[in-house]
Structure formats: structure tokens, C-alpha cells
Coordinates of all heavy atoms in Angstrom, one line a residue:
M245 N 13.9 -38.5 -5.8 CA 14.2 -37.7 -4.6 C 13.6 -38.4 -3.4 O 12.5 -38.8 -3.4 CB 13.5 -36.3 -4.8 CG 14.0 -35.3 -3.7 SD 13.2 -33.7 -3.9 CE 13.9 -33.0 -5.3
S246 N 14.5 -38.6 -2.4 CA 14.1 -39.3 -1.2 C 13.2 -38.4 -0.4 O 13.2 -37.2 -0.6 CB 15.3 -39.7 -0.4 OG 15.8 -38.6 0.3
N247 N 12.5 -39.0 0.5 CA 11.6 -38.2 1.4 C 12.4 -37.1 2.1 O 11.9 -36.0 2.2 CB 10.9 -39.1 2.4 CG 9.6 -39.6 1.8 OD1 9.2 -39.1 0.8 ND2 8.9 -40.5 2.5
S248 N 13.6 -37.5 2.6 CA 14.4 -36.5 3.4 C 14.8 -35.4 2.5 O 14.8 -34.2 2.8 CB 15.5 -37.3 4.0 OG 16.6 -36.5 4.2
N249 N 15.3 -35.7 1.2 CA 15.7 -34.7 0.3 C 14.6 -33.8 -0.1 O 14.7 -32.6 -0.2 CB 16.3 -35.3 -1.0 CG 17.8 -35.8 -0.7 OD1 18.3 -35.4 0.3 ND2 18.3 -36.5 -1.7
R250 N 13.4 -34.4 -0.3 CA 12.2 -33.6 -0.7 C 11.9 -32.6 0.4 O 11.6 -31.5 0.2 CB 11.1 -34.6 -0.9 CG 9.9 -33.8 -1.5 CD 8.6 -34.7 -1.5 NE 9.0 -36.1 -2.0 CZ 8.6 -36.5 -3.2 NH1 7.9 -35.7 -4.0 NH2 8.9 -37.7 -3.6
R251 N 12.0 -33.1 1.7 CA 11.7 -32.2 2.8 C 12.7 -31.0 2.9 O 12.3 -29.9 3.0 CB 11.7 -33.0 4.1 CG 10.7 -32.4 5.1 CD 10.6 -33.1 6.4 NE 11.7 -32.9 7.2 CZ 12.3 -33.8 8.0 NH1 11.8 -35.0 8.0 NH2 13.3 -33.4 8.7
T252 N 13.9 -31.4 2.7 CA 15.0 -30.3 2.7 C 14.7 -29.3 1.6 O 14.7 -28.1 1.8 CB 16.4 -30.9 2.5 OG1 16.5 -31.9 3.5 CG2 17.4 -29.9 2.6
F253 N 14.4 -29.8 0.4 CA 14.1 -29.0 -0.7 C 12.9 -28.0 -0.4 O 13.0 -26.8 -0.7 CB 13.8 -29.8 -2.0 CG 13.3 -29.1 -3.2 CD1 14.3 -28.3 -3.9 CD2 12.0 -29.0 -3.5 CE1 13.8 -27.6 -5.0 CE2 11.6 -28.3 -4.6 CZ 12.5 -27.6 -5.4
M254 N 11.8 -28.6 0.1 CA 10.7 -27.8 0.4 C 11.0 -26.7 1.5 O 10.5 -25.6 1.4 CB 9.5 -28.7 0.9 CG 9.0 -29.6 -0.1 SD 8.5 -28.8 -1.7 CE 7.1 -27.9 -1.2
L255 N 11.8 -27.1 2.4 CA 12.2 -26.1 3.5 C 13.0 -24.9 2.8 O 12.8 -23.8 3.1 CB 13.1 -26.7 4.5 CG 12.3 -27.6 5.6 CD1 13.2 -28.3 6.5 CD2 11.3 -26.7 6.4
H256 N 13.8 -25.3 1.8 CA 14.6 -24.2 1.2 C 13.7 -23.3 0.3 O 13.8 -22.1 0.3 CB 15.7 -24.8 0.2 CG 16.8 -25.3 1.0 ND1 17.8 -26.1 0.4 CD2 17.2 -25.2 2.3 CE1 18.7 -26.4 1.3 NE2 18.4 -25.9 2.5
V257 N 12.7 -23.9 -0.3 CA 11.7 -23.1 -1.1 C 11.0 -22.2 -0.2 O 10.8 -21.0 -0.5 CB 10.8 -24.1 -1.9 CG1 9.6 -23.3 -2.5 CG2 11.5 -24.9 -2.9
A258 N 10.5 -22.7 1.0 CA 9.8 -21.9 1.9 C 10.6 -20.8 2.5 O 10.2 -19.6 2.5 CB 9.3 -22.8 3.1
A259 N 11.9 -21.1 2.8 CA 12.8 -20.0 3.3 C 13.0 -19.0 2.3 O 13.0 -17.8 2.6 CB 14.1 -20.7 3.8
A260 N 13.2 -19.4 1.0 CA 13.5 -18.4 0.0 C 12.3 -17.5 -0.2 O 12.4 -16.3 -0.4 CB 13.8 -19.2 -1.3
G261 N 11.1 -18.1 -0.1 CA 9.8 -17.4 -0.3 C 9.7 -16.3 0.8 O 9.4 -15.2 0.6
A262 N 10.0 -16.7 2.0 CA 9.9 -15.8 3.2 C 10.9 -14.7 3.0 O 10.6 -13.5 3.3 CB 10.2 -16.6 4.5
A263 N 12.1 -15.0 2.6 CA 13.1 -14.0 2.4 C 12.7 -13.0 1.3 O 12.9 -11.8 1.5 CB 14.5 -14.6 2.0
F264 N 12.1 -13.5 0.3 CA 11.7 -12.6 -0.8 C 10.6 -11.7 -0.3 O 10.6 -10.5 -0.5 CB 11.2 -13.5 -2.0 CG 10.6 -12.6 -3.1 CD1 11.4 -12.0 -3.9 CD2 9.2 -12.5 -3.2 CE1 10.9 -11.2 -4.9 CE2 8.7 -11.7 -4.2 CZ 9.6 -11.0 -5.1
S265 N 9.6 -12.3 0.5 CA 8.5 -11.4 1.0 C 9.1 -10.3 1.9 O 8.7 -9.2 1.8 CB 7.5 -12.3 1.8 OG 7.0 -13.3 1.0
A266 N 10.0 -10.7 2.8 CA 10.6 -9.7 3.7 C 11.3 -8.6 2.9 O 11.2 -7.4 3.2 CB 11.6 -10.4 4.6
G267 N 12.0 -9.0 1.8 CA 12.7 -8.0 1.0 C 11.7 -7.1 0.3 O 11.9 -5.9 0.3
A268 N 10.6 -7.6 -0.2 CA 9.6 -6.8 -0.8 C 9.0 -5.9 0.2 O 8.7 -4.7 -0.1 CB 8.5 -7.7 -1.5
A269 N 8.7 -6.3 1.4 CA 8.1 -5.5 2.4 C 9.0 -4.4 2.7 O 8.6 -3.2 2.9 CB 7.7 -6.3 3.6
Q270 N 10.3 -4.7 2.8 CA 11.3 -3.7 3.2 C 11.4 -2.6 2.1 O 11.5 -1.4 2.4 CB 12.6 -4.4 3.4 CG 13.6 -3.5 4.2 CD 14.8 -4.4 4.7 OE1 15.2 -5.2 3.9 NE2 15.2 -4.1 5.8
A271 N 11.4 -3.1 0.8 CA 11.4 -2.1 -0.3 C 10.3 -1.2 -0.2 O 10.4 0.0 -0.4 CB 11.4 -2.9 -1.6
Q272 N 9.1 -1.7 0.2 CA 7.9 -0.8 0.3 C 8.1 0.1 1.5 O 7.5 1.2 1.4 CB 6.7 -1.6 0.4 CG 6.2 -2.3 -0.9 CD 5.0 -3.1 -0.8 OE1 4.6 -3.5 0.3 NE2 4.4 -3.3 -1.9
A273 N 8.7 -0.3 2.5 CA 8.9 0.6 3.7 C 9.9 1.7 3.5 O 10.0 2.6 4.3 CB 9.2 -0.3 4.9
T274 N 10.7 1.6 2.4 CA 11.8 2.6 2.3 C 11.7 3.2 0.9 O 12.6 4.0 0.6 CB 13.2 1.9 2.4 OG1 13.3 0.8 1.4 CG2 13.4 1.3 3.8
G275 N 10.7 3.0 0.1 CA 10.6 3.5 -1.2 C 10.3 5.0 -1.2 O 10.0 5.6 -0.2
P276 N 10.5 5.7 -2.4 CA 10.2 7.1 -2.4 C 8.7 7.4 -2.3 O 7.9 6.4 -2.5 CB 10.6 7.5 -3.8 CG 10.5 6.2 -4.6 CD 10.8 5.1 -3.6
K277 N 8.3 8.6 -1.9 CA 6.9 8.9 -1.8 C 6.3 9.0 -3.2 O 6.9 9.4 -4.2 CB 6.8 10.3 -1.2 CG 6.5 10.3 0.3 CD 6.1 11.7 0.7 CE 6.5 12.0 2.1 NZ 6.4 13.3 2.5
V278 N 5.0 8.6 -3.2 CA 4.2 8.7 -4.5 C 4.0 10.2 -4.7 O 3.6 10.9 -3.8 CB 2.9 8.0 -4.3 CG1 2.0 8.3 -5.5 CG2 3.1 6.5 -4.1
E279 N 4.3 10.6 -5.9 CA 4.0 12.0 -6.3 C 2.6 12.1 -6.9 O 2.2 11.2 -7.7 CB 5.0 12.6 -7.3 CG 6.4 12.6 -6.7 CD 6.6 13.6 -5.5 OE1 5.8 14.5 -5.4 OE2 7.4 13.3 -4.7
E280 N 1.9 13.2 -6.7 CA 0.5 13.3 -7.2 C 0.6 13.3 -8.8 O -0.4 13.0 -9.4 CB -0.1 14.6 -6.7 CG -0.4 14.5 -5.2 CD -0.9 15.8 -4.6 OE1 -1.2 16.7 -5.4 OE2 -1.1 15.8 -3.4
S281 N 1.7 13.7 -9.3 CA 1.9 13.8 -10.8 C 2.2 12.5 -11.4 O 2.2 12.4 -12.6 CB 3.0 14.8 -11.1 OG 4.2 14.5 -10.4
D282 N 2.5 11.4 -10.6 CA 2.8 10.1 -11.2 C 1.5 9.7 -11.9 O 0.4 9.9 -11.5 CB 3.0 9.1 -10.1 CG 4.4 9.3 -9.4 OD1 5.1 10.2 -9.9 OD2 4.7 8.6 -8.4
A283 N 1.7 9.0 -13.0 CA 0.6 8.5 -13.9 C -0.5 7.8 -13.1 O -1.6 8.1 -13.2 CB 1.1 7.7 -15.1
Q284 N 0.0 6.8 -12.3 CA -1.0 6.0 -11.6 C -1.7 6.8 -10.5 O -2.9 6.7 -10.3 CB -0.2 4.8 -10.9 CG -1.0 4.0 -9.9 CD -1.8 2.9 -10.5 OE1 -2.1 2.9 -11.7 NE2 -2.0 1.9 -9.7
A285 N -1.0 7.7 -9.9 CA -1.5 8.6 -8.8 C -2.6 9.5 -9.5 O -3.7 9.7 -9.0 CB -0.4 9.4 -8.2
S286 N -2.2 10.0 -10.6 CA -3.1 11.0 -11.3 C -4.4 10.2 -11.7 O -5.5 10.7 -11.6 CB -2.4 11.5 -12.5 OG -3.2 12.3 -13.3
A287 N -4.2 9.0 -12.2 CA -5.4 8.2 -12.7 C -6.3 7.9 -11.5 O -7.5 7.8 -11.7 CB -4.9 6.9 -13.3
L288 N -5.8 7.7 -10.3 CA -6.6 7.4 -9.2 C -7.0 8.6 -8.3 O -7.6 8.4 -7.3 CB -5.8 6.4 -8.3 CG -5.6 5.0 -8.8 CD1 -4.6 4.2 -8.0 CD2 -6.9 4.2 -8.9
G289 N -6.6 9.8 -8.8 CA -7.0 11.0 -8.0 C -6.3 11.1 -6.7 O -6.8 11.7 -5.8
Y290 N -5.1 10.5 -6.6 CA -4.3 10.5 -5.4 C -3.9 11.9 -5.0 O -3.4 12.7 -5.8 CB -3.1 9.6 -5.5 CG -2.2 9.7 -4.3 CD1 -2.5 9.0 -3.1 CD2 -1.0 10.4 -4.3 CE1 -1.6 9.0 -2.0 CE2 -0.2 10.5 -3.2 CZ -0.5 9.8 -2.1 OH 0.4 9.9 -1.0
K291 N -4.1 12.2 -3.7 CA -3.7 13.5 -3.1 C -2.9 13.1 -1.8 O -3.3 12.3 -1.1 CB -4.8 14.4 -2.7 CG -5.6 14.9 -3.9 CD -4.9 16.0 -4.6 CE -5.6 16.5 -5.8 NZ -4.8 17.3 -6.7
Q292 N -1.8 13.9 -1.6 CA -1.0 13.6 -0.4 C -1.7 14.2 0.8 O -1.4 13.9 2.0 CB 0.4 14.3 -0.5 CG 1.2 13.6 -1.6 CD 2.6 14.1 -1.7 OE1 3.0 15.1 -1.1 NE2 3.4 13.4 -2.4
D293 N -2.7 15.0 0.6 CA -3.5 15.6 1.7 C -5.0 15.4 1.4 O -5.5 15.9 0.4 CB -3.2 17.1 1.8 CG -4.0 17.8 2.9 OD1 -4.9 17.2 3.5 OD2 -3.6 18.9 3.3
T294 N -5.6 14.6 2.2 CA -7.0 14.2 1.9 C -8.0 15.4 1.9 O -9.0 15.3 1.2 CB -7.5 13.1 2.9 OG1 -8.8 12.6 2.5 CG2 -7.7 13.7 4.3
T295 N -7.6 16.5 2.5 CA -8.5 17.7 2.5 C -8.4 18.4 1.2 O -9.2 19.3 0.9 CB -8.1 18.7 3.6 OG1 -6.8 19.2 3.4 CG2 -8.1 18.0 5.0
K296 N -7.4 18.0 0.3 CA -7.3 18.7 -1.0 C -8.0 17.9 -2.1 O -7.8 18.3 -3.3 CB -5.8 18.8 -1.3 CG -5.0 19.6 -0.3 CD -5.2 21.1 -0.5 CE -4.2 22.0 0.3 NZ -3.9 21.7 1.6
V297 N -8.7 16.9 -1.8 CA -9.4 16.1 -2.8 C -10.5 16.9 -3.5 O -11.2 17.7 -2.8 CB -9.9 14.8 -2.2 CG1 -10.8 14.1 -3.2 CG2 -8.8 13.9 -1.8
D298 N -10.6 16.8 -4.8 CA -11.6 17.6 -5.5 C -13.0 17.0 -5.2 O -13.4 15.9 -5.7 CB -11.3 17.4 -7.0 CG -12.2 18.3 -7.9 OD1 -13.3 18.6 -7.5 OD2 -11.8 18.5 -9.1
A299 N -13.8 17.7 -4.5 CA -15.1 17.2 -4.0 C -16.1 17.1 -5.2 O -16.9 16.2 -5.1 CB -15.7 18.2 -3.0
K300 N -15.9 17.9 -6.2 CA -16.8 17.8 -7.4 C -16.5 16.5 -8.2 O -17.4 15.8 -8.6 CB -16.6 19.0 -8.3 CG -17.3 20.2 -7.7 CD -17.5 21.3 -8.8 CE -18.1 22.5 -8.3 NZ -17.2 23.6 -8.2
K301 N -15.2 16.2 -8.3 CA -14.8 15.0 -9.0 C -15.1 13.7 -8.3 O -15.4 12.7 -8.8 CB -13.3 15.1 -9.4 CG -12.9 14.3 -10.6 CD -11.5 14.8 -11.0 CE -11.0 13.8 -12.1 NZ -9.6 14.1 -12.4
Y302 N -14.9 13.8 -6.9 CA -15.1 12.6 -6.1 C -16.1 12.9 -5.0 O -15.8 13.1 -3.8 CB -13.7 12.2 -5.5 CG -12.7 11.9 -6.5 CD1 -11.7 12.8 -6.8 CD2 -12.8 10.7 -7.2 CE1 -10.7 12.5 -7.8 CE2 -11.8 10.4 -8.2 CZ -10.8 11.3 -8.5 OH -9.9 11.0 -9.4
P303 N -17.4 13.0 -5.3 CA -18.5 13.3 -4.4 C -18.6 12.4 -3.2 O -19.1 12.7 -2.1 CB -19.7 13.4 -5.2 CG -19.4 12.6 -6.4 CD -18.0 12.7 -6.7
N304 N -18.1 11.1 -3.3 CA -18.2 10.2 -2.2 C -17.1 10.3 -1.2 O -17.0 9.6 -0.2 CB -18.3 8.7 -2.8 CG -19.5 8.5 -3.5 OD1 -20.6 9.1 -3.2 ND2 -19.5 7.6 -4.5
H305 N -16.1 11.2 -1.5 CA -15.0 11.3 -0.6 C -15.4 12.1 0.6 O -16.3 13.0 0.6 CB -13.9 12.2 -1.3 CG -12.8 12.6 -0.4 ND1 -12.8 13.9 0.2 CD2 -11.7 12.0 0.2 CE1 -11.8 14.0 1.0 NE2 -11.1 12.9 1.0
A306 N -14.9 11.7 1.8 CA -15.2 12.3 3.0 C -13.8 12.6 3.7 O -12.9 11.9 3.5 CB -16.0 11.5 3.9
A307 N -13.8 13.7 4.4 CA -12.5 14.2 5.0 C -11.9 13.1 6.0 O -10.8 13.1 6.2 CB -12.7 15.5 5.7
S308 N -12.8 12.3 6.5 CA -12.4 11.2 7.5 C -11.7 10.1 6.7 O -11.1 9.2 7.4 CB -13.6 10.7 8.3 OG -14.5 10.1 7.3
Q309 N -11.8 10.1 5.4 CA -11.1 9.0 4.6 C -9.7 9.4 4.4 O -9.4 10.5 3.8 CB -11.8 8.8 3.3 CG -13.3 8.4 3.5 CD -14.0 8.3 2.1 OE1 -13.5 8.7 1.1 NE2 -15.2 7.9 2.2
N310 N -8.7 8.5 4.7 CA -7.3 8.8 4.3 C -6.6 7.4 4.2 O -7.2 6.4 4.6 CB -6.6 9.7 5.2 CG -6.6 9.3 6.7 OD1 -6.6 8.1 6.9 ND2 -6.6 10.2 7.6
C311 N -5.4 7.4 3.8 CA -4.7 6.2 3.6 C -4.6 5.4 4.9 O -4.7 4.2 4.9 CB -3.3 6.4 3.0 SG -3.3 7.1 1.3
A312 N -4.4 6.1 6.0 CA -4.3 5.4 7.3 C -5.5 4.6 7.7 O -5.4 3.6 8.4 CB -3.9 6.4 8.4
T313 N -6.7 5.0 7.2 CA -7.9 4.3 7.5 C -8.4 3.4 6.3 O -9.5 2.9 6.3 CB -9.1 5.3 7.8 OG1 -9.3 6.1 6.7 CG2 -8.7 6.1 9.0
C314 N -7.5 3.2 5.3 CA -7.8 2.4 4.2 C -7.3 0.9 4.4 O -6.1 0.8 4.9 CB -7.1 3.0 2.9 SG -7.3 2.0 1.4
Q315 N -8.0 0.0 4.0 CA -7.6 -1.4 4.2 C -6.4 -1.8 3.4 O -5.7 -2.8 3.6 CB -8.7 -2.4 3.9 CG -9.2 -2.4 2.5 CD -10.4 -3.4 2.3 OE1 -10.9 -3.9 3.3 NE2 -10.8 -3.6 1.1
L316 N -6.0 -1.0 2.4 CA -4.8 -1.3 1.6 C -3.5 -0.7 2.1 O -2.4 -1.1 1.7 CB -5.0 -0.8 0.1 CG -6.1 -1.5 -0.6 CD1 -6.2 -1.0 -2.1 CD2 -5.9 -3.0 -0.7
F317 N -3.6 0.2 3.1 CA -2.5 0.8 3.7 C -1.6 -0.2 4.5 O -2.2 -0.9 5.3 CB -2.9 1.9 4.6 CG -1.8 2.8 5.2 CD1 -1.0 3.5 4.3 CD2 -1.5 2.8 6.6 CE1 0.1 4.3 4.9 CE2 -0.5 3.6 7.1 CZ 0.3 4.4 6.2
Q318 N -0.3 -0.3 4.2 CA 0.5 -1.3 4.8 C 1.4 -0.8 5.9 O 2.1 -1.5 6.6 CB 1.4 -1.9 3.7 CG 0.6 -2.7 2.7 CD 1.3 -3.2 1.5 OE1 2.4 -2.6 1.2 NE2 0.9 -4.2 0.9
G319 N 1.2 0.5 6.2 CA 2.0 1.1 7.4 C 1.3 0.8 8.7 O 0.2 0.2 8.7
K320 N 2.0 1.1 9.8 CA 1.4 0.9 11.1 C 0.5 2.1 11.3 O 0.6 3.1 10.7 CB 2.5 0.8 12.1 CG 3.4 -0.4 12.0 CD 4.2 -0.7 13.2 CE 5.2 -1.8 12.9 NZ 6.4 -1.3 12.3
P321 N -0.5 2.0 12.3 CA -1.4 3.0 12.5 C -0.8 4.4 12.7 O -1.4 5.4 12.2 CB -2.2 2.6 13.8 CG -2.1 1.1 13.8 CD -0.7 0.8 13.1
K322 N 0.3 4.5 13.3 CA 0.9 5.9 13.5 C 2.0 6.3 12.6 O 2.6 7.3 12.7 CB 1.4 6.0 15.0 CG 0.3 5.9 16.0 CD 0.6 6.4 17.3 CE -0.6 6.5 18.2 NZ -0.4 6.4 19.6
D323 N 2.3 5.4 11.6 CA 3.3 5.8 10.6 C 2.8 7.0 9.7 O 1.6 7.1 9.4 CB 3.6 4.6 9.6 CG 4.3 3.5 10.3 OD1 4.8 3.7 11.5 OD2 4.5 2.4 9.7
A324 N 3.8 7.8 9.4 CA 3.4 9.0 8.5 C 3.3 8.6 7.1 O 2.5 9.2 6.3 CB 4.5 10.1 8.7
T325 N 3.9 7.5 6.7 CA 3.8 7.0 5.3 C 3.8 5.5 5.4 O 4.2 4.9 6.4 CB 5.0 7.4 4.5 OG1 6.2 6.9 5.1 CG2 5.1 8.9 4.3
G326 N 3.4 4.8 4.3 CA 3.4 3.4 4.3 C 3.2 2.9 2.9 O 2.9 3.7 2.0
G327 N 3.4 1.6 2.7 CA 3.2 1.0 1.4 C 1.8 0.9 1.0 O 0.9 0.9 1.9
C328 N 1.5 0.8 -0.3 CA 0.2 0.5 -0.8 C 0.3 -0.4 -2.0 O 1.2 0.0 -2.9 CB -0.5 1.8 -1.1 SG -2.1 1.5 -2.1
P329 N -0.4 -1.5 -2.1 CA -0.2 -2.4 -3.3 C -0.5 -1.7 -4.6 O 0.0 -2.2 -5.6 CB -1.1 -3.5 -3.0 CG -2.0 -3.1 -1.9 CD -1.3 -2.0 -1.1
L330 N -1.2 -0.6 -4.6 CA -1.5 0.1 -5.9 C -0.3 0.9 -6.4 O -0.3 1.3 -7.5 CB -2.7 1.0 -5.7 CG -4.0 0.3 -5.3 CD1 -5.2 1.2 -5.3 CD2 -4.3 -0.9 -6.2
F331 N 0.6 1.1 -5.4 CA 1.8 1.9 -5.8 C 3.1 1.1 -5.3 O 3.8 1.5 -4.4 CB 1.8 3.3 -5.1 CG 0.6 4.1 -5.5 CD1 -0.5 4.2 -4.7 CD2 0.6 4.8 -6.7 CE1 -1.6 4.9 -5.1 CE2 -0.5 5.6 -7.1 CZ -1.6 5.6 -6.3
A332 N 3.3 0.0 -5.9 CA 4.4 -1.0 -5.5 C 5.7 -0.3 -5.4 O 6.1 0.5 -6.4 CB 4.4 -2.1 -6.5
G333 N 6.4 -0.5 -4.3 CA 7.8 0.1 -4.2 C 7.8 1.5 -3.8 O 8.9 2.1 -3.7
K334 N 6.6 2.1 -3.5 CA 6.6 3.5 -3.1 C 5.8 3.7 -1.9 O 5.2 2.8 -1.4 CB 6.0 4.4 -4.3 CG 6.8 4.4 -5.5 CD 6.4 5.5 -6.4 CE 7.4 5.6 -7.6 NZ 7.0 6.6 -8.6
Q335 N 5.8 4.9 -1.3 CA 5.1 5.2 -0.1 C 4.0 6.2 -0.3 O 4.2 7.2 -1.0 CB 6.1 5.9 0.9 CG 7.4 5.1 1.2 CD 7.1 4.1 2.3 OE1 7.0 4.5 3.4 NE2 7.0 2.9 2.0
V336 N 2.9 5.9 0.3 CA 1.8 6.9 0.3 C 1.7 7.6 1.7 O 2.2 7.0 2.6 CB 0.4 6.2 0.0 CG1 0.4 5.6 -1.4 CG2 0.1 5.1 1.0
V337 N 1.2 8.7 1.7 CA 1.2 9.5 2.9 C -0.1 9.1 3.7 O -1.1 8.9 3.2 CB 1.1 11.0 2.6 CG1 0.9 11.8 3.9 CG2 2.3 11.5 1.8
A338 N 0.1 8.9 5.1 CA -1.0 8.4 5.9 C -2.2 9.3 5.8 O -3.4 8.8 5.8 CB -0.6 8.3 7.4
N339 N -2.0 10.6 5.6 CA -3.1 11.5 5.4 C -3.5 11.7 4.0 O -4.3 12.6 3.6 CB -2.8 12.9 6.1 CG -4.0 13.7 6.3 OD1 -5.1 13.2 6.7 ND2 -4.0 15.0 6.0
G340 N -3.0 10.9 3.1 CA -3.3 11.0 1.7 C -4.6 10.3 1.4 O -5.3 9.7 2.3
W341 N -5.0 10.2 0.1 CA -6.3 9.6 -0.3 C -6.2 9.3 -1.8 O -5.6 10.0 -2.6 CB -7.4 10.5 0.0 CG -8.8 9.9 -0.3 CD1 -9.6 9.2 0.5 CD2 -9.5 10.0 -1.6 NE1 -10.8 8.8 -0.2 CE2 -10.7 9.3 -1.4 CE3 -9.2 10.6 -2.8 CZ2 -11.7 9.2 -2.5 CZ3 -10.2 10.5 -3.8 CH2 -11.4 9.8 -3.7
C342 N -6.9 8.2 -2.2 CA -7.1 8.0 -3.6 C -8.5 7.4 -3.8 O -9.1 6.9 -2.8 CB -6.0 7.2 -4.3 SG -6.3 5.4 -4.2
S343 N -9.0 7.4 -5.0 CA -10.3 6.9 -5.3 C -10.5 5.4 -5.0 O -11.7 4.9 -5.1 CB -10.7 7.3 -6.7 OG -9.9 6.7 -7.6
A344 N -9.5 4.7 -4.8 CA -9.6 3.2 -4.4 C -9.8 3.0 -2.9 O -9.8 1.9 -2.5 CB -8.4 2.5 -5.0
W345 N -9.9 4.1 -2.2 CA -10.0 4.0 -0.7 C -11.1 3.0 -0.4 O -12.2 3.1 -0.9 CB -10.3 5.4 -0.1 CG -10.4 5.3 1.4 CD1 -9.4 5.5 2.3 CD2 -11.6 5.1 2.2 NE1 -9.8 5.4 3.6 CE2 -11.2 5.2 3.5 CE3 -12.9 4.9 1.9 CZ2 -12.1 5.0 4.6 CZ3 -13.8 4.8 3.0 CH2 -13.4 4.8 4.3
A346 N -10.8 2.1 0.6 CA -11.8 1.2 1.1 C -11.6 1.1 2.6 O -10.5 0.9 3.1 CB -11.6 -0.2 0.5
K347 N -12.7 1.3 3.4 CA -12.6 1.3 4.8 C -11.9 0.1 5.4 O -12.2 -1.0 5.1 CB -13.9 1.5 5.4 CG -14.0 1.8 6.9 CD -15.4 2.0 7.4 CE -15.6 2.1 8.9 NZ -14.5 2.7 9.6
K348 N -10.9 0.4 6.2 CA -10.2 -0.7 6.9 C -11.1 -1.4 7.9 O -11.9 -0.7 8.6 CB -9.0 -0.1 7.7 CG -8.1 -1.1 8.3 CD -7.0 -0.4 9.1 CE -5.9 0.1 8.1 NZ -4.6 0.5 8.7
A349 N -11.1 -2.7 8.0 CA -11.9 -3.4 9.0 C -11.5 -3.0 10.4 O -10.3 -2.8 10.6 CB -11.8 -4.9 8.8
A350 N -12.5 -2.7 11.2 CA -12.2 -2.3 12.6 C -11.5 -3.4 13.4 O -11.7 -4.5 13.1 CB -13.5 -1.8 13.3
Ligands
SF4_639 FE1 -4.2 5.3 0.1 FE2 -5.9 3.3 0.1 FE3 -5.5 4.7 -2.1 FE4 -3.6 3.1 -1.3 S1 -5.7 2.5 -2.0 S2 -3.4 5.3 -2.0 S3 -3.8 3.3 0.9 S4 -6.4 5.4 -0.2

């Protein structure tokens, strides 16, 4: 492969990767909402309303914790729902919560 062909090939690979990432992000932005009854949601104690979290089961939970303040939330600050890598292809509610919550860096 000549240098020029190699460069063209690498550009195509990079473009394909970017297109794939954009497609994946879009799928996450339009997927169905995570249901509390989903196996993964149930395992993580996910609630669509952070005020409904079982305080006895999750004593470290605080009402100020929700998906919108979690570092894994992929929505914008004012979005009502957004993607979360723990629930690929689905949407979590901004006011939701699960036991994997981790404070978003300020
Ligand atoms: Fe919400 Fe964070 Fe749990 Fe994802 S990891 S469901 S964004 S609290």
C-alpha cells in the first residue's frame, strides 16, 4: 500500500468510526425509557423518581442524587431523559436514580 493509499484508507476508517459513534449516540437519544421492572434496572435499584428510592435498602441515597447529576448521564443538563451506558440503547429519566450513581464533576 502506498503512503497515499494508506492515508486514504485511514481516513475512511476514521470516518466510518465517527459515523458509527454518531449512530450509537442517536440510538441512545431516541431509545425507549428504561422500565423499573427491566432486569438490569431491578438489579441496580433503578427508580424513575429519585424520591421513591428505598431508603432502607440504599441508606447512602440522598434526594439530591438523580441521573441528571450523575457522571454517567449522557443527556444535556435540562433534558428530561438521556442515555446511560448501563442501559445501552435506552433512556433513563433525569430525575431517576440507580445504585451506580456517581457525582458528576462540577
Ligand atoms: Fe442514572 Fe447514573 Fe444510574 Fe445511569 S448510572 S441510571 S445516569 S444514576
Side-chain angles (χ1 to χ4, degrees):
M245 194 181 286
S246 74
N247 270 351
S248 152
N249 280 349
R250 187 188 315 254
R251 210 176 76 215
T252 305
F253 173 75
M254 292 310 288
L255 283 172
H256 284 170
V257 170
F264 176 77
S265 299
Q270 200 166 35
Q272 284 180 339
T274 58
K277 262 192 206 169
V278 172
E279 295 299 332
E280 293 174 5
S281 56
D282 289 355
Q284 170 86 334
S286 174
L288 290 171
Y290 173 78
K291 292 285 177 196
Q292 293 185 349
D293 180 347
T294 191
T295 66
K296 302 281 194 311
V297 172
D298 185 340
K300 283 197 184 112
K301 205 168 171 189
Y302 301 104
N304 292 331
H305 167 264
S308 61
Q309 299 174 355
N310 60 28
C311 293
T313 63
C314 174
Q315 65 181 8
L316 296 180
F317 186 65
Q318 296 173 333
K320 294 193 188 85
K322 292 197 172 156
D323 286 352
T325 59
C328 169
L330 300 186
F331 300 99
K334 294 195 174 179
Q335 301 275 289
V336 295
V337 178
N339 197 40
W341 182 90
C342 89
S343 58
W345 182 88
K347 189 174 172 34
K348 186 182 282 196

